[in-house]
Amino acid sequence: MAPQQKSKTSSHRSEKEIEALLKRLHSGCRFILFEDVKKNDISNILRNAAQPDEVHSELGRALAHSYIESLDDALGERIILSLCCGEDIESNSSNSHHQTISKTNYASAANAFFSYLAEYVLANNNGEDSNDSTAQEKRYQIRSKWLQWCVRCEELISPAADGSSANTNGGGRSVLISCLKNYSSICVGNSSSGGCDMVYRSLKSSTSRKYWIRSIASALELAITTSGGGLEESNVLFQDFHSLFEACTLQARGKIQFHDLLAHNEESRLILNESLRICTMNLHNDRSVCQFTIKMIEYLAVSLASYLDQLVYASTNPHESVAVLELSYEWLRGLSDLIRSASAKELDEDNTKSLTKAIDAIIVAILPQLSSSTSSFMVAFEMTSICATIASAINTLGQYSTFTTAKSAAAMRLGTLALSLESDREIKGVCDLLLGVFSCFTDDAALVDNDVTFVGGAILYALGCVFSSRPNCAKKALMMKKVGEKLIKRIPTIIASSISSSSSGEEKSERLHLIDLLASLKSEPPSTNYQHLIEVISEAISDSDQTNLHSWRRRPLALEDQCSGLLVGLAFLHMSVMSPILTEHGYQRTLAFLTSFLECYPRAASRVLPSVLDTVRMSSQQSPPLPQILSTSFAFIASKPILSDPHSAHLAWTYLSPLTNDGVPSATRASIIRILPQMCLNNKKLFRRIRDVIGKSMVSTDPMVRIAATATLSDMAKLDLLRDVEGIVSWIQGRLNDEESTVTRFALSALRYLVQNEELDFDLVVRVLEKRLGTDLGVVDDFLGWDILALESLVELLSEGGLEEDDDDESHDEEDEEEGGPAPTAKTVKAVTLLIELALNISSEERYDFSTQSRILSKIYQSLANYSALILGLDPESIRTCADLTSIPEDLRGDWERYVELKTIVQSGMSLVTRMEDDTKNDDSGSTTAEFSINLVAMMQLLLSFEEVTFGSFVFRKGSSSSKGKNEGAQQHRVSKAVISALPEISAIRSMYESDESVSARVAAYFYALGVEDDNDPIPQTSALLAEMTECISYFAPPADPPSYAMQVFSITNAMSAVFRSIQNADENCREELFETAVDQLEEWATEFSEYGYIALSALALATDDSPQLYSGISRVQNIILDGSGMFETEDVKLLCTCMVAARLSQTTDARVVDLLDSVEKSIERHNGQSCFGGYLGLAIFVQSVARKIRSHGSDPSEDWCREQARRCICILVKSLNNCTLTDDESILELASCIETGKSSDTLPLPSELTAKDGAAQKLIGVIIALSHCFPALAGVSADLLKSVVAVIDKLPWGSGKGFATHAAYKTLIDAGMYSMDDLSGAIANTVARVQGFDSDCIDLLDPLFSLASLCRLSSGKVKEELDLVNETATRILNTSSRMSSKGKTMAVFTCCASIGELPGVTSFVPNVYSSVKKDQVSNVVAMMEETLLNGEVECTHASALALGVLCAMRNSSQTTQQHKREKKSDRKNVDVNSIIQGKGGTVMEFVLHQVAKAHSDILVQHSGTKRATKQLCIIFEALEAVALPGSFSRVVETTLHSSAVGGTELTNSSLKILFSQIESGRRRIGFDGRGFLDMSTRLTKLPAEDLSKLIGAAGAQQMMTAMPNLLFQLPTSAGEEVAKCLWGISRDLSPKNQMVMTEFFVGMNTIFASAGKESNDKSKLSTSPALLRALQNFVASGLFDEFCKVAAQSSKIDASSSSYATSIAAYLECLDMISASTITTDTMGIQSDVAYNNVLVMASCASFSSKQTRRVETWIARQNVRGDPSNLRMLLLSSLAVAPQARNDIEMKESIANLFDIMLVAGTNNTLCIELIAAKIAYWWDSRYMNEMSAATHPIQRVTTMSSFLISSNLCFEVQSLPNKEISAIFDLFVTDLPAKLALLCQTWKISDDISNRATRLCKDATDKKKACLQKIIQLLDGGGE
């Protein structure tokens, strides 16, 4: 208790003492007027004033002593108040007002007070009272309170908050100054003090802070002087000063008020100047450098780099930016002076390292920014002297240390700086820096990382090449090249390698730069990571891959960035030449990079050229030389990127032109001459110079030079680069007789190209050649002795002939049209003849070996194939005529011989192919064979196409041997389901019938519907069918007019065929019973309901096959008909049934047939004036039945009998025709006699004109319809007789019904070869004229209209206009306002139906839809019929009902018969080509198909000739692609394909090509269809992917996907949907082997969707059913999405092994884009599913559809924890790159960045990829064309980036997939390193700096490692600095 009591007593006493002292102070202070004193002299005045005023000084010391004793805070406050404010402010204010001014000066007392306290505190540092704990405690308390006194003094002298002035009765500011001055002496050098920075931050007034800075500087200066410069003391002093410097200069500019910025800048300048002054003074005073100075130099360099970061915050304020830059320049200038002075001193190792670190910071971070700032701000700095100063220091230090500056990034930045400068003086300064840094490594003793020297040396060398063209820099450039070359070639020591491998992670992070990443990969195999990264950069520069993954496109690079990109390319160009590791692939890839770069920035070409020329020099000097580099370099010099720039073009020509002069080695001279065409092509201004060089070289005595010059001239002619050819032609003529055959060859080649480009006339050139060479084209022997090279060129020249050209084209149009067009020129005819004769004679020439023969023949084939058939002398009409003649007429002999010659040439070519395959001695045989095959195929295609046009479908004929059944001869008619779906449904017909069951037409329609069979539904039971028919047979009563009668009668035959099919489909044991039941039922019809039951009985018997178990039933039917003749009500039905029974009996050559026909003939004769249409129709049925046996010529008696009966029936019909017409002669009867006897009708006269007898109109129509059904049988008897019958019918007038026969007539005659398609076209044109000539109400109009409708469907041409005429006319007739009669309207209905398909009973016996009909046409007709059914007249409604039934029956057109369903696939090994298909006799097609048969057989047998057969088959298949083949040929292709394992990939590809070529849309086929190819393609798609892969491989699957649109366009909906799914499964399973399989799948789908979106009048539009289209759209949009995502995700998890799916995803996005434009919205697509690892990559790529999708994917990626599976990390990184470009505007970017920062606040930063995702997004936005803030892009801080912008490309996500995870992570590290600066600049522009800074601050607390550093840097840049 005693000490405490003593303390209280002492405190009380001190209080009294202080009170007394203060009273004395207030009563007698002397006044000093400080206002008259300058601020800087205040200290001196105080010093001078204190001495005489010892009273006040003693008073101040006494106050200090008393305070020390008490240390009471209240007393301290009282003293400070009294010193600052004078008399006690708490006393009565009236007393204070009476104080005189002389009492208010307290300066001396205050100075003594603070000085005494400072001395007391500092006594501890001197060791005084060191053991006195009480004294130590007091000193500590004084130090801790002094900062408060400083602040309190400033508060007391500052104006009050309300604006009132401060109390000035005391010492005022003098007290503050004394307080700060004495406190500075305590802070400096005293580690236990409060810190200089705390005082600075606490002071509010700029004046106070400035004085504090000066006080600290003075104290520091004194402390350095007194301390002796020891390490420990220097560290303490440095820590004290550096904290103040940082608080003053590097504080966050964002926390400074705007009005304080000027003061802040002044303070920063003040402390900088004080720092530089102190360091300078120390360097001048000492021989060696004190530690403090060295540390300050290092710190000032690092701090300046940080200070420059404030430019980011000041970027929106130009004045502030300029202020920062100006201070930075002063800073750097002073710092460089310090470095120079320090480098001259004696330095130990540590000091040297500190100094080199400072130099590092200047070179790497400061110089690039300050030098580039002049382009962004209105400032200009002289950097040359600074560079010289730093260079001088480097040279001084070089002998002592190894610079860490010597790294690739520093060299790259300095090199970029040098390239961006314009002044030679500045460039030399930067070059000096580079030389100083890297020169020390030229010594082999220097240890350094090899990567550093390798890349750094390459940069130096590249800069040396660039600056060598500047005269003022040439010397410096030479030095740089020498140093660079030494560094590149230097071999690192073992120690250097160990240093490189053991470098710490910190050092590696410091070297994080694109150039470092490339350098680290360079030593790996050139085919992997390094080369791939070069490709990534190349694509990033040009961004040439314009996929539709997103809308991102690169903006142009800033000038400095262009310089960086250029330097990267040049550096690695030199590295690839000087390094054996990189030479093989690196050089070409680097040139590719430079090409991409120069395409974007062509003005840099002049800087690239010196480096390329230098590589040429170096590669030529190496031993051995590098010819590949030489040739590649010359090609690059001649490329467009180099020559498009005028300056670069001038440099290139200046360098290359001397190499074309005499004296230059021949090889070099020739090489340069050969690149001249490319140079001229890329810069046509060089033409005259190039022409002069060529002209001079063509007369050279050096053969190699002449050859090169002539070849160059030929190339220029080929490229059409020659101008003013008159003078050049003389050069060519002079070389035609050159002693070197190669020169002659190129001279002829040049003439060829001049003719080809229409510079010279072919005939003129040929005349000149004949004169110049002394030859005649007509004499083949003149050319057989030519050199092979010259002869080849001559043959090529002879391919350029042409047709005659008339001056007056219009006057000769009509004449040319009549003669088939203009004729070939005379010289062209001679040229063709010479080519053919050469081809025929060349193989017999012994002077030519086999290889030479092959080469010449190959050129001949090529030349001949270049001509049309007309020029070759092939006339279709002549060849068609001669082909069927045994003796060729004399006038056609020339045409036929030419055809035979060409066929012989082709045959010889195929023989040569065989020999080529057998000849394996020549190593070059492969290329020769390939060229020969191509030209031979072209020749064959020309001839085959000619034959296709000439012979049509008759160019093919059926196989010679076959085991076909009776039904196999008829080709199955198939129609797409799209068309079938538009036909009436069975239910619709049933409803129509049930609405009015009493109408016969509706009954017939229902019968037709009952006969329809569906593949998907089971065949109905017999009892059910008969029950349906029984209900309506009683209402069956056909009308009298023949068309309606025939159609209704055939509804019964159609229904009976369905009944028999149901019986046939039943169990075999039940068939006989069912048949008997059916007969019973039908007999009941006949006896109880209607006589038409007899027709049903007869039709059932005729439809039944020859099954023994049904024979009794058939006999029963025959007996019922034959025995019940009296039961018939009408003669028509009787005759019809009799003929049908006779047809059935004729199958067994029953003798009763003749009697039955006799009875029918007699009956018809008895009804001479009346119609017996039933009899006529029955005779037609009989003729067609027996015609099956007379199709082939033979001597079988049964066939002769059938032929005789058929002629008899036709004769009856012709006689009936005669009875219906009025004629003046017996010509028709004579024709009938000829038919009956089988005699020729060539000499028979035909009637000139025929008219119908009165009242015989209906009979005549019936006869014509019946005769038309007999035309095919009559053609089998005699085509001449058929032509005569057709001619007779054609004489009838329109309206007589002859229109019903035209379809059958022309179809039969065309099939027989009697008529051509031209004849058909003429008939259609004439019929159109007739239709248009009739009045719209004339009933005769319907006859030609029906004819036109049926004829159009026979034509293979475009007949849309004609069909439109039919539909318009019929619609007009059926209109209610039409005055056409009911009969005419009925015919209009049938005409509409005939435009869709064949009418049963009228134009055929079976209802069939035409294969050319379209769905919309069917829909229109059905709609018209339905409208007429509802609103038409009574007879029209009946006709419409019948027509709808017929249309419904046409649904069977797409169905397969039950027999076809039961047929088994034949064994592929048993396929005989000759039994399937053969060519027309004597044609090339016959030879080709015969060769197919032989080669096909050889492949199947698999013997020694298989290889030869494979080659032959490949050639033939390729040739056959040019023509449309019958579907049966697909069996050949299929068996070949399944046997292609023997023939290899080539045969597989050929098989697939011919297969898919045949299903191409637009193939014209007449007389046959290509359904077999469609079926085969469909079968292939249904194979399992593994089996398909084994069969056709991944490449074949790609072909299949390419053909997919053509395949799906021809399939019905259900089949098309199934095939599409199968194709997707194939592409999914095979895409890992060949990613293009999947790409082609999506491309094909996009083709389908695009075609559907075209206008209907677009000719390229391919129609497909809407149902199929919708199904495909749904399948692509959602059905396959999950599987597609899994495939893409799986491939992305594999390092460096799988191909990119960029093209597949891009194609898929195009599909989605096309789909979204239709009815399907994005809301229903697969992209709306939940994001997962399996689909995130595709989801990210699909984010371009909407910002909502982008945000969803980003959010998912940002929330994922990356710890765990490395594959997940890889997937997230790739997905981040995929989604990063998906930004469309600033608003979306701002929201996205803010959202990602918010996610980080929840999910954290350390275990997520938020930072990486933000970095990628900012990187993409930064280089996007959408970013308009170019001021940010050119900001100085961008000069110290990692160059990550050079990695940004549109498809970076997929381009890096082949890189390992390590390299992908390294790329993201580059993005993250550049993130802070870019993000801060963008946030400044977007006005969101505070928000992002706040979020980053909160995140920084928990972040670690690199992410923490990144966040800290973001905060620092956003806030404008800070600690």
Side-chain angles (χ1 to χ4, degrees), residues 553-571:
R553 292 295 177 267
R554 172 177 286 280
R555 62 168 171 79
L557 294 173
L559 176 62
E560 289 82 358
D561 291 329
Q562 294 178 29
C563 294
S564 297
L566 174 65
L567 193 55
V568 169
L570 295 181

Side-chain angles (χ1 to χ4, degrees), residues 513 1037 1490 1575 1764 1786 1849:
H513 194 276
H1490 180 66
D1575 292 341
D1786 287 336
S1849 65

Side-chain angles (χ1 to χ4, degrees), residues 925-1094:
S925 60
S927 59
T928 304
T929 304
E931 182 182 2
F932 184 88
S933 301
I934 292 173
N935 295 329
L936 176 60
V937 165
M939 186 67 187
M940 292 173 67
Q941 287 181 339
L942 173 67
L943 294 178
L944 291 175
S945 298
F946 168 76
E947 291 181 350
E948 182 182 35
V949 173
T950 302
F951 299 110
S953 62
F954 294 100
V955 75
F956 301 106
R957 58 190 177 93
K958 295 182 181 179
S960 58
S961 59
S962 175
S963 58
K964 297 178 183 178
K966 66 177 183 178
N967 294 325
E968 200 168 343
Q971 185 149 0
Q972 185 64 32
H973 184 70
R974 291 180 180 267
V975 182
S976 70
K977 285 195 174 181
V979 173
I980 298 303
S981 64
L983 294 171
E985 297 281 352
I986 300 175
S987 58
I989 304 301
R990 180 182 290 109
S991 299
M992 179 188 69
Y993 160 70
E994 291 174 350
S995 64
D996 191 353
E997 300 177 355
S998 61
V999 178
S1000 177
R1002 300 196 181 207
V1003 173
Y1006 189 40
F1007 270 29
Y1008 276 120
L1010 291 174
V1012 173
E1013 177 186 346
D1014 193 345
D1015 279 338
N1016 299 322
D1017 296 333
I1019 296 178
Q1021 294 183 358
T1022 307
S1023 58
L1025 276 176
L1026 292 174
E1028 293 277 352
M1029 297 175 186
T1030 302
E1031 295 180 0
C1032 51
I1033 187 63
S1034 59
Y1035 300 104
F1036 199 88
D1041 66 291
S1044 299
Y1045 181 90
M1047 292 170 67
Q1048 292 196 29
V1049 164
F1050 268 86
S1051 69
I1052 297 179
T1053 63
N1054 185 73
M1056 291 303 104
S1057 296
V1059 170
F1060 176 70
R1061 286 198 301 269
S1062 67
I1063 296 172
Q1064 193 179 28
N1065 190 60
D1067 185 78
E1068 187 174 0
N1069 297 326
C1070 303
R1071 290 176 188 171
E1072 184 177 1
E1073 182 182 354
L1074 284 175
F1075 190 78
E1076 292 292 341
T1077 303
V1079 171
D1080 292 341
Q1081 186 73 46
L1082 297 179
E1083 187 178 10
E1084 184 181 351
W1085 290 4
T1087 56
E1088 296 186 11
F1089 299 109
S1090 171
E1091 65 175 342
Y1092 292 100
Y1094 293 117

Side-chain angles (χ1 to χ4, degrees), residues 1789-1847:
M1789 273 297 295
K1790 286 191 293 185
E1791 293 176 351
S1792 176
I1793 299 302
N1795 175 59
L1796 292 174
F1797 268 96
D1798 290 339
I1799 293 173
M1800 275 195 288
L1801 290 173
V1802 178
T1805 59
N1806 300 322
N1807 297 330
T1808 64
L1809 288 180
C1810 285
I1811 291 290
E1812 286 80 358
L1813 179 55
I1814 293 173
K1817 286 187 67 67
I1818 292 296
Y1820 268 99
W1821 183 257
W1822 189 265
D1823 288 289
S1824 169
R1825 292 186 180 180
Y1826 292 123
M1827 197 194 80
N1828 299 318
E1829 300 82 8
M1830 290 306 296
S1831 60
T1834 58
H1835 194 275
I1837 201 172
Q1838 294 305 310
R1839 306 287 72 78
V1840 291
T1841 64
T1842 65
M1843 290 181 64
S1844 61
S1845 290
F1846 287 85
L1847 291 169

Side-chain angles (χ1 to χ4, degrees), residues 258-476:
F258 179 75
H259 57 271
D260 293 335
L261 284 175
L262 181 60
H264 171 73
N265 293 335
E266 292 177 355
E267 295 163 16
S268 299
R269 192 180 302 275
L270 174 62
I271 194 170
L272 173 64
N273 290 334
E274 290 294 332
S275 303
L276 295 175
R277 181 183 62 80
I278 294 172
C279 293
T280 304
M281 181 190 67
N282 291 335
L283 289 173
H284 282 274
N285 292 338
D286 299 333
R287 177 178 299 178
S288 61
V289 181
C290 70
Q291 292 297 319
F292 174 81
T293 304
I294 288 296
K295 288 183 175 294
M296 277 302 299
I297 291 174
E298 180 182 352
Y299 174 72
L300 286 174
V302 175
S303 299
L304 177 53
S306 299
Y307 181 72
L308 283 171
D309 289 344
Q310 296 186 18
L311 278 174
V312 175
Y313 182 84
S315 59
T316 56
N317 188 336
H319 297 290
E320 277 301 302
S321 299
V322 171
V324 173
L325 289 170
E326 289 177 344
L327 179 60
S328 300
Y329 176 70
E330 293 180 16
W331 194 333
L332 178 59
R333 187 175 57 185
L335 180 59
S336 62
D337 291 338
L338 291 178
I339 293 174
R340 180 185 58 187
S341 300
S343 64
K345 302 292 183 179
E346 296 179 1
L347 302 174
D348 58 18
E349 184 177 353
D350 292 336
N351 291 341
T352 303
K353 286 184 177 180
S354 297
L355 208 57
T356 55
K357 286 182 180 179
I359 295 174
D360 287 348
I362 292 173
I363 291 177
V364 175
I366 298 172
L367 274 179
Q369 293 191 68
L370 282 179
S371 299
S372 64
S373 62
T374 57
S375 61
S376 303
F377 304 98
M378 299 299 293
V379 290
F381 301 131
E382 174 56 46
M383 305 298 296
T384 307
S385 59
I386 296 177
C387 291
T389 302
I390 300 299
S392 175
I394 291 174
N395 293 330
T396 304
L397 294 173
Q399 56 184 324
Y400 299 111
S401 75
T402 298
F403 282 92
T404 56
T405 312
K407 51 189 178 184
S408 307
M412 179 59 62
R413 289 172 183 172
L414 285 179
T416 300
L417 175 59
L419 290 175
S420 61
L421 295 174
E422 297 181 359
S423 169
D424 290 343
R425 187 164 171 263
E426 293 179 342
I427 291 173
K428 291 167 66 177
V430 177
C431 291
D432 284 334
L433 274 179
L434 281 168
L435 286 171
V437 171
F438 285 93
S439 293
C440 58
F441 300 117
T442 56
D443 183 7
D444 291 339
L447 303 179
V448 71
D449 186 353
N450 185 41
D451 289 347
V452 170
T453 59
F454 195 74
V455 181
I459 292 174
L460 260 66
Y461 198 93
L463 291 173
C465 292
V466 172
F467 296 134
S468 61
S469 60
R470 302 176 77 112
N472 294 333
C473 301
K475 184 176 180 181
K476 195 71 63 179

